[in-house]
Amino acid sequence: MAERKRVVVAGLGDVGLLTAIRLARHADVVGISVKDALVSGQELGVRLSRPGDWARDYWIPFDRFRGLDRVRTVQAELTGVDLADRTVFARGSDGAAITEEFDALVISTGVTNGFWRQPIMQSGAEIAADLHAAHQRLAAAESIIVIGGGAAAVSSAVNLATTWPDKRIDLYFPGPDALAGYHPRIWKRIRGRLGALSVGVHPGHRAVISNGSADTRITNEPVRWSTGQPPAAAAAVLWAVGRVRPNTDWLPPDILDAQGFVRVTPELKVPGHRGVFAVGDVAASDPHRSSARNRGDSLVAHNIRAEFTGRRLRCYRTPGRRWGSLLGIQADGLEVFLPSGHALRIPAWPVQRIVMPGFVRYGMYRGVRPNDPLR
């Protein structure tokens, strides 16, 4: 019997977790993460407005995933890699040095983005404290400004206004329209929803970020605009301006592009390094880094198995436009926006009884154990 190969998955966020699950039956997989759970970067609006609902679907301890039963998970901070010697280096929560050898490496460390996506070592208690502190901060505010024109900002404005209809909520963004990269039909539809929720919509406003860390916390100082409008003020200012920074400080500079993202071939391989792949928001696969949302995990898992057995690798194909649910699960169900701009609405009952338990928890994750009531 051939010796089983070892795969190290560096980063167990949304896409890294799925990649590890797909590879678990074919190799000895080691997953390294600064968290002891999946703490998704998705659905910021639901996270802020309904943290209990968000935690149910997007904060799940690794030991609840049946698909990870064959994966050895290590909570540690990545500190370096020797691609020639095929060894990853990390530091545990106790400061101890950790080394992991690999036959294949998956780089899926994602990006830093605002206060909700930070690559720091955290316990479950610390994650819970951050989650509820942000929610309480916004719950106590009579007025909220949301800054940004991407999915995180738009979703936040809609969800905050839905949860707290009596608050004054305003959305500011720099372009004439929000949701660049999505079909224009989608923004038209969601702008109508914002209007129905009495959210103020303010295009053409580019915020001045005087403090380099302003987007890593909820602030209350007046917001100034480089586009000339008078300052705007609210009790709470949510910065969702999309200043993503790749979590690649632990990688050698020669495999990174000018912005610090990992350069990849169409097969999501790192050029010049056998058995090294990158996937998700950290991978420079296309301008939108869309392998995070378009089954890049499946492609990388297939290509690693193919490389081990000498078979042909597949190429990643982008969808052209961004797509997805955008607003998350609502009381009346889930609306999924397609690349064509059309919306597919799934009522609440099948979402909770079929989509989440069947397609997501069983189909994608290969089974998720019930939550521990003592958590």
Side-chain angles (χ1 to χ4, degrees):
M1 180 181 295
E3 182 180 356
R4 283 172 67 87
K5 301 291 188 178
R6 171 175 286 196
V7 179
V8 171
V9 179
L12 290 177
D14 294 295
V15 70
L17 175 79
L18 290 170
T19 305
I21 288 173
R22 289 183 175 276
L23 287 166
R25 283 192 267 179
H26 307 279
D28 292 331
V29 180
V30 179
I32 303 175
S33 172
V34 291
K35 319 294 186 189
D36 62 358
L38 170 66
V39 183
S40 176
Q42 298 184 60
E43 309 296 4
L44 176 63
V46 177
R47 172 175 175 151
L48 295 172
S49 62
R50 293 179 280 123
D53 291 347
W54 180 87
R56 178 194 62 216
D57 297 324
Y58 297 103
W59 173 26
I60 305 174
F62 293 140
D63 59 10
R64 287 182 56 200
F65 291 97
R66 298 185 190 278
L68 289 182
D69 286 350
R70 301 184 187 186
V71 174
R72 178 164 60 87
T73 59
V74 179
Q75 187 175 9
E77 178 185 1
L78 292 155
T79 57
V81 62
D82 186 330
L83 294 176
D85 198 39
R86 311 186 73 72
T87 305
V88 167
F89 306 99
R91 182 172 50 247
S93 57
D94 59 357
I98 297 171
T99 60
E100 296 288 349
E101 297 180 350
F102 62 84
D103 296 296
L105 171 64
V106 179
I107 301 168
S108 52
T109 42
V111 296
T112 295
N113 187 12
F115 60 85
W116 61 95
R117 295 180 74 178
Q118 293 287 322
I120 56 176
M121 197 90 70
Q122 282 185 307
S123 65
E126 290 168 330
I127 294 168
D130 282 354
L131 181 65
H132 293 292
H135 171 74
Q136 292 301 325
R137 175 76 175 81
L138 294 170
E142 294 182 357
S143 57
I144 301 172
I145 285 175
V146 182
I147 302 177
V154 171
S155 168
S156 295
V158 169
N159 279 281
L160 293 173
T162 301
T163 299
W164 295 301
D166 294 333
K167 294 184 187 294
R168 177 172 63 82
I169 298 176
D170 291 275
L171 173 67
Y172 292 85
F173 49 90
D177 299 309
L179 297 179
Y182 292 84
H183 195 287
R185 187 181 290 122
I186 298 175
W187 169 237
K188 182 178 180 181
R189 183 182 181 93
I190 292 184
R191 179 158 189 167
R193 185 160 187 168
L194 289 166
L197 290 167
S198 299
V199 173
V201 177
H202 307 274
H205 287 67
R206 183 174 296 278
V208 175
I209 305 178
S210 57
N211 182 341
S213 62
D215 61 338
T216 64
R217 58 191 175 91
I218 298 171
T219 62
N220 60 3
E221 295 86 5
V223 182
R224 303 185 183 280
W225 314 103
S226 64
T227 39
Q229 298 89 348
V237 179
L238 172 63
W239 297 80
V241 293
R243 295 203 312 167
V244 299
R245 297 172 291 280
N247 299 323
T248 54
D249 289 347
W250 62 285
L251 293 170
D254 64 293
I255 70 169
L256 308 179
D257 68 9
Q259 289 72 46
F261 296 92
V262 182
R263 293 184 291 108
V264 291
T265 68
E267 296 83 8
L268 299 183
K269 287 188 61 175
V270 175
H273 296 281
R274 179 178 57 84
V276 181
F277 294 78
V279 65
D281 287 322
V282 77
S285 56
D286 59 278
H288 299 310
R289 301 183 303 281
S290 62
S291 68
R293 293 162 292 278
N294 295 284
R295 311 311 299 162
D297 56 286
S298 177
L299 181 85
V300 165
H302 171 274
N303 283 351
I304 287 175
R305 299 196 305 270
E307 190 162 84
F308 284 161
T309 56
R311 293 180 289 126
R312 183 178 179 181
L313 277 60
R314 295 174 182 168
C315 292
Y316 174 70
R317 293 179 174 82
T318 68
R321 294 184 184 271
R322 294 184 175 184
W323 65 285
S325 70
L326 283 176
L327 304 181
I329 299 172
Q330 303 293 308
D332 59 354
L334 178 67
E335 196 169 42
V336 179
F337 294 95
L338 306 177
S340 65
H342 296 92
L344 172 66
R345 173 171 289 283
I346 308 173
W349 187 89
V351 168
Q352 297 296 350
R353 301 295 182 88
I354 299 174
V355 174
M356 294 307 295
F359 290 99
V360 176
R361 296 191 184 100
Y362 182 79
M364 289 176 59
Y365 293 136
R366 311 287 170 86
V368 178
R369 296 180 179 88
N371 191 18
D372 181 352
L374 298 179
R375 176 181 159 195

